[in-house]
Amino acid sequence: MDERKAGEKKLKHLFEPVKWGRFEIKNRVKYGACCVSNFNTRDGFITPRELARTKVIAETGAGIITNQGAYPDPLGEGKAYFSQVALFDDKFLPQFETIARYIHDNGGMAIQQILHAGRYGGIDLGYCIQPSVVPQTLPHFRPPREITKEQIRETIKQHADAAKRAIKAGFDGTEITSFMGYLLANFCSPFTNKRNDEYGGSVENRGRFMRELISEIKEAQGDDYMLVARLNGAELMDKWGGNSEDECLELMKMAGDAGIDMISVTVGWQEAPESSIGRDVPPGHWNRLAARAKKELPNVPIAFGVRLPDPVMANACIEKGDFDYWEVCRPLLADPQLLHKAAEDRLEETRRCIGSLNCLSRLFRDLPYTCTMNPALGHEVEPEYHITPAAVKKRIMIIGAGPAGMECAMAAKQRGHEVTVFDREDSIGGLLRGYAANDLANRDDMLSVVRHYEVMAKKLGIEVKLGVEVTPKLMRDLLHQFDVAIVAAGARNDENMRPKTADGGVLTDAYEVALGRIKPGKKVVVIGGGRIGLTLAESLTDQGHEAIIVESSKRVGNDVAPTWKWRHTSWIKELKIPVMTSTRVTRVTASSATVVNAEGEEKELAADMVIYAAPQKPNQEVFQALQWMVDEVHMIGDAMAPRGMTSAIHDGYRLGCRI
Amino acid sequence: MGQTVTDAGLCGALQRWREMGEASREVFAALEPGARVGLISQAEMNQAPGARMVVWQAGPEGPTTALAPFAGFADAPADMVFLVPDEALDEVAAAGPDKGLGALEGPVRSGDAMLFYIAPKGDLLDAGYEEFMERLGFGFLGACR
Ligand SMILES: Cc1cc2nc3c(=O)[nH]c(=O)nc-3n(C[C@H](O)[C@H](O)[C@H](O)COP(=O)(O)O)c2cc1C
Ligand code: SF4
């Protein structure tokens, strides 16, 4: 009898078991090392916080699990992150043994990554080592020193010793990585390798470090254990003298000839001038690189998954022969249950990774990683972040069906509370719908969040009352029907900051335009260069309107994540949107907006619509009224302080877990 | 139209770079006195260790502009350096003296020119480079792509 679950039958290529040497790999999914978490001690020891997180990873159901990269040298030249784990001594073994056991207990093959960060390393040292002195293009990283030949020998030996140690801890194999421009990539790439000795110059010479690494690690760990190399299919550094895609392929062939057991194809360097894994890269965009590698190296197993968040697409790629293993990282951060949902044919319940890069960008601030979509990530060790049965069952009303309100509703409902969500709009999603509709990066990513709430509200049986505004009058009618009221009513434009209108002038609310309720004019002035104003101006310009942004502070994008600002600045340039900073709108008429700059110079801008997109004010009014009507009153999300989606989701979930 | 920057070479066009620095007075005001920003062309860099680069140095009276020897990045005489390919030099200069260092933004953004940080992050922050870069239209921390 076929005992496979419904989803396993549907996605039969993805869930097909495969044999490698003495190992039975239960499916074609490899969890890609995606966990340089900054949860560990400054001297390389794994903490309980990390172990709890890794247990969740081990339970994702992936056939191969790659544990996060450990640096192999005692000096820390290879150390990329503030609290990266180390594997240069046996003293680190106990926690690695625990991790290998977690993975085996869940039927996975355990791979330990050895990560020498090269150009991005030496985080505690004040310098980094790389093949040649090529200064940093990102100030976060350390000034470079050239690695000597003796150091090359020593570094290779340290990698081999670390591999041996990983095997001793119970791992089934190891991995070396050139992801995002680490040491292996630095040797392979002519951008950072300008040496004149046998390690530099031709592709053959640049690949020497990799070949020696492969040969010594294989010798150290033995043929019974797998060795994976993560190699760039494209560096996206060719403009700056890096490898072309053809050269990348040549290096992969070299790795194949050197006896590598699997190649994981990655894309891009941290500092590359193009996007590789951001939200502005369409899902599936890089699949062609894996397909090319597979075609040229038919006998080497190829793993791939960069910005490929969809198991259905992955299944189709494996069927087509584009690659052999779906190597997936962020989608499993966002939803550790993704593979189980796929196996049970419940994919519609998935919390999709929306490519926000909150995870990776926090590492640039030396902070632990977190995930926009998964508020529990990194807090697995804390019972307060778990959904556990409520001690007292309560009747909860939530005002606002945006991300904060819906997250809170979902967590509270799963804990056994009775939950009713009210929203004055006629759909779930709040202002996120307006944002999603205008997002130039990837509208469907943001809309997937709204769809998730709609699906889960139905599945969990959360009552959602739409088109109902919660007012003190309504509350008097509802008196004593609820034990808890949660204000998740978001924020709105601050009416006290609005410029004067005259001669029939009207200020149009940004949300009304964003949500498509008011048709935008042809010539538009957008007041406010924050997240909302920028998104709207970009979208309107993209649709053929003429938009000008007027911002009162010195710069635009003050409420945008620091690592996403570049995206707006680039769009503004590409779309040629005029931006007036340090400028205020003082008067709005039916056909113009009068602006004054910091020097006091006045100018009249022709406009058939003036859109008001700033600043934000929390919707807290109802809170005061509720305080004397309901036992417990709470406030979450933008209603507490306007901060955006990540905070809204996290606030909502945390409160839902705790009420 | 006079001699182009390409004809004159990076170092032969010092007056242009001086005007560019002057036009960026407000941007340089973000920096501590003594902070140095370099500009070098690919052709000039290829002549290292005998090469020279343009250096703008922040000071209380505004930036000064001078040429300085460039023997390689390991000890470049600046905290950060713009490396501009020869083909892009004229584009930068043609943006007009009033654009100041802002003329470098386009070529860096498109990947034609490069921006190298020579000093460590802490020193850059202390010297005011975060604000300097923001004023020029770049994010200091860089992108996450
Ligand atoms: C927070 C984070 C940490 C990562 N750490 C590593 C790492 O330690 N080693 C590595 O080779 N790749 C690392 N990666 C890259 C991932 O393995 C993966 O290649 C990349 O995220 C693209 O795949 P995805 O679109 O499925 O996330 C990391 C990615 C993220 C987001
Ligand atoms: S933070 Fe954003 S990009 Fe990272 S895993 Fe979560 S949703 Fe995906």
Side-chain angles (χ1 to χ4, degrees), chain A residues 387-457:
Chain A
I387 294 183
T388 49
V392 179
K393 195 172 156 185
K394 298 176 186 173
R395 297 163 303 166
I396 299 174
M397 73 179 299
I398 297 176
I399 302 154
M406 292 309 296
E407 290 289 338
C408 186
M410 281 158 32
K413 182 73 187 179
Q414 288 175 77
R415 296 182 55 226
H417 293 305
E418 221 176 82
V419 182
T420 310
V421 182
F422 295 84
D423 201 296
R424 63 176 179 178
E425 301 291 340
D426 55 9
S427 55
I428 285 178
L431 300 174
L432 182 56
R433 275 185 185 276
Y435 185 78
N438 291 279
D439 175 29
L440 287 196
N442 189 339
R443 286 174 188 166
D444 198 53
D445 270 334
M446 290 295 165
L447 283 175
S448 76
V449 182
V450 178
R451 282 199 300 271
H452 179 68
Y453 296 144
E454 287 170 342
V455 167
M456 294 314 290

Side-chain angles (χ1 to χ4, degrees), chain A residues 180-437:
Chain A
M180 284 282 168
Y182 296 136
L183 185 65
L184 176 55
N186 303 156
F187 269 98
C188 292
S189 178
F191 172 63
T192 35
N193 186 344
K194 303 192 185 294
R195 298 175 76 94
N196 299 318
D197 60 11
E198 67 270 33
Y199 289 99
S202 61
V203 184
E204 176 74 15
N205 276 0
R206 297 200 307 272
R208 188 178 306 279
F209 176 76
M210 173 182 74
R211 294 195 302 275
E212 291 182 0
L213 209 52
I214 293 173
S215 136
E216 286 210 21
I217 294 177
K218 282 205 74 102
E219 198 178 317
Q221 67 182 33
D223 280 342
D224 257 10
Y225 296 91
M226 186 184 268
L227 176 61
V228 185
R230 300 199 93 181
L231 296 173
N232 281 294
E235 288 177 354
L236 309 181
M237 297 287 284
D238 28 344
K239 244 188 172 157
W240 294 348
N243 277 317
S244 65
E245 286 182 18
D246 285 346
E247 287 170 307
C248 288
L249 199 62
E250 229 176 296
L251 285 154
M252 286 189 211
K253 284 188 192 157
M254 223 180 265
D257 293 342
I260 201 74
D261 299 312
M262 181 186 286
I263 291 177
S264 146
V265 179
T266 66
V267 185
W269 280 31
Q270 204 106 261
E271 59 202 296
E274 288 175 57
S275 297
S276 54
I277 61 173
R279 205 152 53 80
D280 51 338
V281 176
H285 182 75
W286 301 115
N287 295 0
R288 64 175 180 83
L289 293 172
R292 188 168 179 221
K294 185 70 236 176
K295 194 159 164 241
E296 299 282 334
L297 289 112
N299 299 323
V300 180
I302 301 289
F304 180 77
V306 180
R307 190 69 176 130
L308 198 181
D310 178 10
V312 178
M313 189 193 275
N315 182 67
C317 288
I318 294 173
E319 182 179 11
K320 253 200 304 168
D322 287 351
F323 50 81
D324 305 288
Y325 294 87
W326 181 35
E327 184 166 47
V328 58
C329 317
R330 290 171 302 160
L332 285 171
L333 299 188
D335 192 342
Q337 292 295 311
L338 171 65
L339 294 175
H340 301 295
K341 289 174 183 172
E344 289 158 18
D345 202 16
R346 297 189 285 125
L347 271 177
E348 72 284 2
E349 291 178 28
T350 306
R351 263 179 193 274
R352 181 154 127 191
C353 161
I354 55 164
S356 62
L357 282 176
N358 184 40
C359 44
L360 211 52
S361 53
R362 282 176 52 102
L363 296 173
F364 282 99
R365 298 265 166 161
D366 297 326
L367 288 170
Y369 77 150
T370 57
C371 172
T372 297
M373 295 305 296
N374 178 3
L377 185 141
H379 296 283
E380 290 85 354
V381 73
E382 298 166 61
E384 295 81 358
Y385 279 79
H386 290 241
I387 294 183
T388 49
V392 179
K393 195 172 156 185
K394 298 176 186 173
R395 297 163 303 166
I396 299 174
M397 73 179 299
I398 297 176
I399 302 154
M406 292 309 296
E407 290 289 338
C408 186
M410 281 158 32
K413 182 73 187 179
Q414 288 175 77
R415 296 182 55 226
H417 293 305
E418 221 176 82
V419 182
T420 310
V421 182
F422 295 84
D423 201 296
R424 63 176 179 178
E425 301 291 340
D426 55 9
S427 55
I428 285 178
L431 300 174
L432 182 56
R433 275 185 185 276
Y435 185 78

Side-chain angles (χ1 to χ4, degrees), chain A residues 51-61 102 332 336 374 380:
Chain A
L51 287 178
R53 168 88 202 108
T54 310
K55 190 157 183 293
V56 171
I57 294 169
E59 289 164 359
T60 53
Y102 283 164
L332 285 171
N374 178 3
E380 290 85 354

Side-chain angles (χ1 to χ4, degrees), chain A residues 521-525 545-547 606-610:
Chain A
K522 177 72 191 149
K523 263 182 179 301
V524 171
V525 169
H545 302 265
E546 289 169 40
D608 53 21
M609 178 178 271
V610 179

Side-chain angles (χ1 to χ4, degrees), chain A residues 33-36 113 115 177 179 230 305 307 329-331 360 369:
Chain A
C34 189
C35 35
V36 179
Q113 184 175 88
L115 189 167
T177 181
F179 172 72
R230 300 199 93 181
R307 190 69 176 130
C329 317
R330 290 171 302 160
L360 211 52
Y369 77 150

